Amino acid sequence: MAEHYYDPMLCSCSPENPMTMGVTAVLTEQIDGNLLKEAAEELRERFAYFYVRAKIEGNDIVVIPNPLPMTVRNTWAPIELATKEANYHLAAIKYEGDRICLEINHTLSDGAGVLPFFKSLLFVYLSKKTGVSFPTQGFRLPGSEIPKSETGDPFAAVDTDSIQEPFYRKEPTQDFYRLPSRNGEADHIYYLKLPENAVMKYCKENDGSPNVLLAVLISRAIRRADPESEKTVTVSVAIDHKSMLGNFDNYRMFANAYELDFPKERQLDDIMKSCTITRGQLMLQAQPENSAWYIKTRKMGFEKMKAMPLQMKLDILPKAASASRWTASVSYVNSRSFGPLDPYIKELYCLAEVCAVDVMSEIACINHSFFVALGQRNSSRELFEALLCELEQANIPFNIMRDEEYHLCGLRYEDL
C-alpha cells in the first residue's frame, strides 16, 4: 500500500456508533457465492486500501494491509467488522438470494469510494457469471492504473494557506424536532421505488431537485404525523466537497452535510414556494468557499488530533460522532448508471447508519427509477405512511419493495 497522508479516524467509531455505510443491489438472477468470492479477491490489487485491518500504532488506531480474504457471507444477518468473524477486515460483503450488499467502515471511505468499488465488484462478478466481455470504460479494474490522486495526499491540490473564512456559515439549530422515543425498538428501513420521469417532472414544475424535494416531503410528512409539535424540523443534505472543488478523486471521507430549517411558522402548503426557499437555503451554503473552508478546517483538525492522547480520542470522538444533529438526512449519490451492467440490476440502494439523525434517507437512481432507502430509529409506520400520503398528493407513483429491521455491520475491535 502507498504511504497515506493520514489514517482514517477509526477512533471515532464505537459499538454504539459503528459509522458503517453500504450499498446494496438486487440482481436479475440468484447470486453465485463462489464467483462472488473470486471477484472480491481479484479486486484486492486495485483497491488495496479497502483490504485492511485496524491496529494500534503509536498514538493512533491505524489501518494496515490485511492478507486474509474479505468476508463474503451467504446471509443477511449483521456482522461486526474488525473481528475474527470478519477476518478482521473493515469491510464485508453479504448476499442472499438475488441481493448483494457491501458494508464498510464509514471513516475509511464515503460514497465516492464505496460506489466505484461496488461497481467494479459487480463488473468482475457478472463477467464471470455471464461470460460476457463488458466494455471496461468507467470501471476501476485489476491491472488498471491507480492514480496518485486516489491514494496520495488528499490535500495536495488544495492551497489551504490561501483559504479564507467564508462569507456565510449557518449556525446549527440546537432545539430541533426528534422522533418520539420508543425504547428497545430496533431501527427499521423501508425501500421505495419511484419512476424517474414522474419525480423529475414534479421537480421541474416546483423548482426542486430530488434531494430538495425529498427534504420538503419528509418535513411535510413529519408535520402531518405530528401536527401539534412546535419544534423546527431540521434536514441535513449531504455535500461532496471534493466535487465542489473540482473532484479531487480519492477514497477518503470529505463528504459533509448542510442544514435546512423548516420552522413550524413556515407553511409548507405551497410546494413550489417551499422548494424555492429550500433551494435557496442550500445554495447559500453550497459555495466553493464553504467547501474550501471545510477542507482547511478538516486538515487542521487531523493535525490537532495527531497530538491528542489515544485514550482521549477514544473518549471524545465517538460521542461527538454519534451526537444527534438533525431530524432527518437526505443523501443523493450520483449513480445514474452502471453502464453495461444496468440490464442485470433490478434495484440499487445506498445505506448509512441511523445515528446522527432520527430519519435517514438515501437516494440512488438507475434504470430510470429512483430507489429510496428510508431508515428510522423505531419501527412505527406513522411517519412512513405520512410520507406515502405526500407522494400520493404529489401524484408520484411508488412501489414499496420491502420493509425490514435495519442492521448494518457493527464494529468491535479485536486483537489490535
Side-chain angles (χ1 to χ4, degrees):
M1 289 178 61
E3 183 178 352
H4 294 158
Y5 181 74
Y6 73 91
D7 286 307
M9 295 189 302
L10 298 175
C11 20
S12 62
C13 308
S14 67
E16 294 74 28
N17 177 33
M19 293 188 70
T20 313
M21 70 164 298
V23 56
T24 185
V26 179
L27 305 186
T28 55
E29 294 185 6
Q30 300 286 295
I31 307 294
D32 184 320
N34 291 327
L35 294 181
L36 185 59
K37 290 177 182 178
E38 290 179 13
E41 189 56 31
E42 288 184 20
L43 289 177
R44 176 187 296 273
E45 173 194 355
R46 181 60 182 80
F47 294 92
Y49 38 86
F50 286 162
Y51 293 73
V52 293
R53 64 171 295 175
K55 175 188 176 184
I56 291 179
E57 190 174 274
N59 189 42
D60 224 336
I61 299 178
V62 301
V63 294
I64 60 173
N66 186 348
L68 296 173
M70 185 179 289
T71 305
V72 178
R73 309 171 342 271
N74 184 14
T75 174
W76 217 246
I79 193 176
E80 291 188 309
L81 299 175
T83 66
K84 183 177 180 180
E85 185 184 9
N87 274 348
Y88 303 106
H89 279 280
L90 292 172
I93 300 166
K94 65 185 180 183
Y95 69 97
E96 191 173 57
D98 56 2
R99 285 205 289 175
I100 178 176
C101 182
L102 167 71
E103 295 171 284
I104 195 166
N105 186 280
H106 204 326
T107 57
L108 186 63
S109 177
D110 60 7
V114 169
L115 264 181
F117 178 80
F118 192 68
K119 287 177 66 174
S120 299
L121 179 68
L122 290 184
F123 183 100
V124 177
Y125 167 75
L126 287 170
S127 296
K128 294 174 176 290
K129 174 79 170 175
T130 65
V132 177
S133 295
F134 298 113
T136 60
Q137 185 176 3
F139 294 90
R140 306 179 192 186
L141 300 172
S144 62
E145 180 183 357
I146 305 175
K148 187 176 179 181
S149 62
E150 192 175 315
T151 59
D153 176 359
F155 302 109
V158 183
D159 180 13
T160 54
D161 292 336
S162 65
I163 295 173
Q164 302 295 318
E165 187 170 353
F167 174 74
Y168 174 79
R169 284 190 295 159
K170 183 184 180 303
E171 293 298 321
T173 300
Q174 302 296 334
D175 189 20
F176 55 87
Y177 182 85
R178 301 294 310 277
L179 254 63
S181 175
R182 292 177 171 86
N183 294 330
E185 282 193 309
D187 294 343
H188 206 84
I189 188 164
Y190 303 94
Y191 298 92
L192 285 173
K193 179 180 179 180
L194 313 173
E196 181 185 18
N197 58 355
V199 173
M200 297 312 297
K201 179 176 182 290
Y202 196 77
C203 287
K204 184 177 180 179
E205 291 174 348
N206 291 280
D207 193 27
S209 61
N211 50 9
V212 165
L213 177 62
L214 191 56
V216 170
L217 293 185
I218 287 176
S219 300
R220 283 170 55 97
I222 289 172
R223 296 299 184 203
R224 179 190 289 267
D226 190 359
E228 301 303 317
S229 175
E230 299 293 327
K231 300 281 188 180
T232 294
V233 174
T234 58
V235 181
S236 69
V237 174
I239 294 292
D240 183 350
H241 293 291
K242 297 192 297 293
S243 295
M244 290 292 295
L245 296 177
N247 193 23
F248 304 122
D249 192 26
N250 62 78
Y251 74 96
R252 297 177 180 86
M253 189 172 73
F254 284 109
N256 196 29
Y258 289 138
E259 180 180 299
L260 306 174
D261 280 347
F262 296 87
K264 179 64 179 289
E265 60 269 21
R266 184 188 304 154
Q267 298 297 318
L268 298 177
D269 297 338
D270 187 329
I271 291 287
M272 179 179 287
K273 182 178 179 180
S274 299
C275 285
T276 300
I277 292 173
T278 301
R279 279 170 57 88
Q281 287 189 72
L282 190 58
M283 292 172 64
L284 189 60
Q285 299 172 73
Q287 299 293 327
E289 57 265 30
N290 292 72
S291 290
W293 182 254
Y294 173 83
I295 296 291
K296 178 175 183 174
T297 54
R298 193 70 182 266
K299 179 181 179 182
M300 293 168 58
F302 287 141
E303 291 170 348
K304 287 180 180 179
M305 282 188 291
K306 284 182 179 178
M308 192 184 296
L310 177 58
Q311 190 56 51
M312 182 181 295
K313 284 187 273 197
L314 292 173
D315 290 340
I316 295 175
L317 293 181
K319 294 178 182 177
S322 62
S324 293
R325 297 186 287 279
W326 306 288
T327 307
S329 66
V330 176
S331 178
Y332 177 28
V333 177
N334 185 19
S335 52
R336 283 295 172 186
S337 173
F338 279 26
L341 310 183
D342 286 356
Y344 302 90
I345 301 172
K346 293 193 296 185
E347 302 171 44
L348 177 70
Y349 303 96
C350 294
L351 307 169
E353 287 285 346
V354 185
C355 186
V357 298
D358 289 340
V359 183
M360 175 279 303
S361 60
E362 299 277 339
I363 312 171
C365 186
I366 198 168
N367 289 326
H368 306 294
S369 292
F370 283 103
F371 294 95
V372 180
L374 188 80
Q376 62 181 48
R377 281 189 160 180
N378 58 47
S379 60
S380 170
R381 287 181 62 91
E382 188 174 12
L383 177 59
F384 178 64
E385 297 288 354
L387 180 60
L388 297 185
C389 289
E390 294 299 330
L391 291 171
E392 288 178 346
Q393 189 169 322
N395 291 317
I396 297 177
F398 58 83
N399 291 101
I400 304 170
M401 308 308 289
R402 66 185 58 82
D403 66 271
E404 58 194 15
E405 283 193 6
Y406 189 33
H407 294 293
L408 284 176
C409 284
L411 180 80
R412 187 181 71 249
Y413 293 125
E414 288 185 356
D415 302 331
L416 291 183

